[in-house]
Amino acid sequence: KIREKLCKFQVGDEIRILDTYQMIAKDEMLYTSTVNTIKQEKINPEWALDKALVKANTAFMDNASDFFQERRADVQHVGNLILKNLLGGEEEEHPRHFKKNTLLVVHDLSPADTAQIIKGTVAGFVTEVGGKTSHTAIFAKALEIPAVVGAVGITQSVEEDDILLLDGTEGTVIINPSRADKLHYQDLRKKYEQMDNLLLKEAHLPAVTKDDFTLRLAANMELPEEIPTIKKYGAEGIGLYRTEVLYLRQKRLPTEEEQFQNYKKVLRQMAPHPVTIRTLDIGGDKILEDSEHSEYVESLNPALGFRAIRFCLREKGLFKAQLRAMLRASRYGKLKILIPMISNLDEIRQVKKIITDVKSELDEKKIPYDHNVKLGVMIEVPSAAIMSDAIAGEVDFLSIGTNDLIQYSIAIDRVNEHVAYLYEPLHPAILRLLNQITEAGRQKNIEVSVCGEMAGEPLYLLILLGLGLTELSMNPLSIPRVKKILRQVTFKQGAELVEKALACKTSSDVEHLVRKEMSKIALPED
């Protein structure tokens, strides 16, 4: 029911999370264990489930991996939701009936709880755990609810009925603010709402700088249902269509025909704008319902393990079916194929060989397709960034996945609140890698885009502009704000800022430089 309700919000990551929750609910660790305990010990379901949860919790506690600790929390959230239903609790639209304009301060909120929060009643929330890219933060962004996550110790600092000011943009919480604070933030909110309305009116203006440099602003997407929103906010195409949701919405793998119809619909609706479809970026943990691939679960490490192109090159039949579906759909719009997690040239050459084979199969069967579909790769692994000059000679475009590139390069878990402070997009090493990649694209005369969270952050726009990127792909809600700033600046400003930033030796030096330059611009948030 929660999942069906979420579809009204036209969200992607959020639905995928709940699909995972549904799989957890059917997993042997909970379901089979509970049923067997009822049969063997003749106890009620609530008690049997509680025993299964204790057992699962102990199993996960034995593994120190951050990934398994996060899954422990997921299993507990699912178990608590089932227990609540088994105990006959009344069905509610949200966890509790709150007074209007309530701010929730909690240790943690499960994605399911967050999804049920009614906008307008709960004005925002603060959690002690999580990071900017945690599941709960993703939900909050989709529901447009202000949130601050990873505020360690907040539950000890706040009392029931305290007055709070929450700034979700800056990540600030003020406890029992002064009258001056209240007036300041009331004024700030009014200006923010006015700016939001203005931005939407200007969303379809050209994304061109004052000195006529064009930077295409595209949208990241997971579901075709998001297309109306993507068009509303002025996207000039889809820079990243994550296809994993097709494989997670049902117990079986999607057929080639189902994929073809999906891609065809997206390409038709977005024409004449380009649509970049990323091939399957999934690992064994996400195909638990498909027993044929369950052998990969045990060896899985979600960040560095058997996923994305590594999985597809092993499962060539599955990979070919997706490529055939893409190519068949290509004649209905402007398709670009994107390969994730490339780490060396051999992988690219294997992919190109497979695509050639698929095209030959289609030619033999006289199935029409666009013979000029562009092939690109995601640069998100440091080895690929370092070898970007060689990689650029093998493909038609490069797409930089900054989320993972930053995570892998600085060696941090970006959703772990204890190391979240190390997630620094303006780290000098990251800037040098970005410069190296864009320079490789220029040398080979191919397009280079950014499709990570960095693309949608106004603070980074001048840097990304100055690097000479072709496209930025982001959450569609971010497009009007980024476009507004872009139309106020020049490419020359960006290029000069990049030159100065590359000479800096610390992240703080770069950030000071960038903020100083951006302070000269009338930012939409002001």
Side-chain angles (χ1 to χ4, degrees), residues 107 126-130 148-157 417-418:
H107 176 71
V126 189
T127 67
E128 290 197 308
V129 301
V148 174
V149 297
V152 179
I154 188 71
T155 55
Q156 280 77 48
S157 304
E417 69 272 15
H418 299 297

Side-chain angles (χ1 to χ4, degrees), residues 52-71:
L53 287 170
V54 170
K55 186 177 178 181
N57 185 60
T58 303
F60 281 119
M61 284 291 285
D62 288 340
N63 194 308
S65 162
D66 286 337
F67 170 74
F68 282 104
Q69 293 304 309
E70 289 169 12
R71 297 297 74 75

Side-chain angles (χ1 to χ4, degrees), residues 9 11 22 60 85 95 111 151 201 259 275 279 299 314 363 397 402 429 483 509 523:
F9 293 98
V11 291
Q22 287 179 324
F60 281 119
N85 283 280
K201 290 178 183 177
Q259 294 183 72
V275 175
T279 57
S299 62
R314 179 80 63 87
D363 289 336
F397 68 97
T402 52
K483 187 178 290 187
D509 287 345
L523 298 180

Side-chain angles (χ1 to χ4, degrees), residues 188-414:
L188 196 63
R189 181 167 61 183
K190 190 180 295 182
K191 288 180 179 178
Y192 187 89
E193 289 169 351
Q194 290 172 346
M195 181 54 69
D196 236 27
N197 293 330
L198 176 63
L199 288 172
L200 205 52
K201 290 178 183 177
E202 299 180 357
H204 295 276
L205 293 174
V208 181
T209 64
K210 289 167 70 175
D211 53 354
D212 293 324
F213 182 88
T214 299
L215 181 60
R216 187 166 60 244
L217 301 184
N220 295 337
M221 187 193 88
E222 287 193 335
L223 294 166
E225 289 85 354
E226 296 176 70
I227 291 177
T229 300
I230 286 169
K231 289 183 174 181
K232 174 184 175 183
Y233 285 94
E236 300 166 280
I238 294 171
L240 176 64
Y241 177 16
R242 303 180 181 98
T243 58
E244 293 73 51
V245 72
L246 285 171
Y247 295 76
L248 297 170
R249 295 179 81 172
Q250 51 196 7
K251 295 181 181 179
R252 58 175 176 79
L253 295 175
T255 65
E256 179 184 325
E257 185 63 24
E258 286 171 336
Q259 294 183 72
F260 163 67
Q261 293 296 338
N262 180 289
Y263 305 147
K264 174 182 173 181
K265 178 181 180 180
V266 173
L267 285 161
R268 267 184 166 170
Q269 289 188 21
M270 289 305 300
H273 297 303
V275 175
T276 303
I277 303 181
R278 186 177 71 183
T279 57
L280 186 61
D281 186 356
I282 204 165
D285 66 325
K286 296 298 196 306
I287 317 181
L288 295 177
E289 296 289 346
D290 175 26
S291 59
E292 183 181 342
H293 300 98
S294 61
E295 65 184 277
Y296 301 129
V297 178
E298 292 181 6
S299 62
L300 180 80
N301 178 304
L304 303 174
F306 191 62
R307 52 167 279 217
I309 194 57
R310 300 168 183 181
F311 177 85
C312 289
L313 289 178
R314 179 80 63 87
E315 296 295 328
K316 289 190 175 68
L318 182 149
F319 190 35
K320 281 187 172 183
Q322 184 177 35
L323 291 171
R324 275 195 303 270
M326 287 184 185
L327 289 170
R328 286 171 57 198
S330 64
R331 64 194 185 101
Y332 296 97
K334 191 175 180 182
L335 171 68
K336 297 165 74 177
I337 297 175
L338 180 63
I339 311 298
M341 210 180 177
I342 288 292
S343 57
N344 59 64
L345 281 176
D346 289 336
E347 290 170 334
I348 298 173
R349 289 168 181 168
Q350 287 182 66
V351 168
K352 290 168 75 173
K353 172 66 168 60
I354 291 171
I355 291 176
T356 299
D357 292 343
V358 170
K359 286 182 176 180
S360 297
E361 292 172 14
L362 294 176
D363 289 336
E364 286 177 16
K365 295 178 181 178
K366 294 184 168 49
I367 297 175
Y369 65 92
D370 180 0
H371 288 69
N372 298 310
V373 170
K374 291 186 176 181
L375 174 68
V377 297
M378 286 196 75
I379 305 295
E380 52 191 335
V381 176
S383 62
I386 294 166
M387 292 293 293
S388 55
D389 56 339
I391 290 174
E394 297 277 340
V395 295
D396 301 308
F397 68 97
L398 302 175
S399 182
I400 307 171
T402 52
N403 295 358
D404 277 340
L405 183 61
I406 295 168
Q407 176 174 238
Y408 295 145
S409 299
I410 305 178
I412 61 160
D413 177 357
R414 56 192 167 95

Side-chain angles (χ1 to χ4, degrees), residues 66-249:
D66 286 337
F67 170 74
F68 282 104
Q69 293 304 309
E70 289 169 12
R71 297 297 74 75
R72 180 169 67 93
D74 285 340
V75 170
Q76 193 63 50
H77 285 318
V78 173
N80 289 342
L81 199 60
I82 298 171
L83 276 173
K84 179 182 173 184
N85 283 280
L86 287 173
L87 290 166
E90 291 183 13
E91 185 176 341
E92 301 172 349
E93 288 298 311
H94 46 83
R96 278 179 51 190
H97 295 292
F98 298 106
K99 296 176 185 177
K100 192 170 183 179
N101 289 328
T102 293
L103 291 179
L104 301 183
V105 180
V106 294
H107 176 71
D108 192 15
L109 271 177
S110 76
D113 285 340
T114 313
Q116 294 183 87
I117 291 173
I118 296 179
K119 187 179 176 184
T121 303
V122 173
F125 63 82
V126 189
T127 67
E128 290 197 308
V129 301
K132 281 182 68 176
T133 55
S134 66
H135 291 170
T136 301
I138 291 169
F139 270 107
K141 191 171 185 179
L143 299 175
E144 297 183 74
I145 296 174
V148 174
V149 297
V152 179
I154 188 71
T155 55
Q156 280 77 48
S157 304
V158 176
E159 299 291 338
E160 187 83 11
D161 295 326
D162 274 350
I163 302 296
L164 300 186
L165 275 173
L166 188 154
D167 183 344
T169 303
E170 294 296 328
T172 301
V173 181
I174 301 175
I175 304 170
N176 294 320
S178 65
R179 185 172 182 276
D181 284 331
K182 291 180 184 178
L183 291 173
H184 170 70
Y185 275 92
Q186 284 171 359
D187 185 52
L188 196 63
R189 181 167 61 183
K190 190 180 295 182
K191 288 180 179 178
Y192 187 89
E193 289 169 351
Q194 290 172 346
M195 181 54 69
D196 236 27
N197 293 330
L198 176 63
L199 288 172
L200 205 52
K201 290 178 183 177
E202 299 180 357
H204 295 276
L205 293 174
V208 181
T209 64
K210 289 167 70 175
D211 53 354
D212 293 324
F213 182 88
T214 299
L215 181 60
R216 187 166 60 244
L217 301 184
N220 295 337
M221 187 193 88
E222 287 193 335
L223 294 166
E225 289 85 354
E226 296 176 70
I227 291 177
T229 300
I230 286 169
K231 289 183 174 181
K232 174 184 175 183
Y233 285 94
E236 300 166 280
I238 294 171
L240 176 64
Y241 177 16
R242 303 180 181 98
T243 58
E244 293 73 51
V245 72
L246 285 171
Y247 295 76
L248 297 170
R249 295 179 81 172

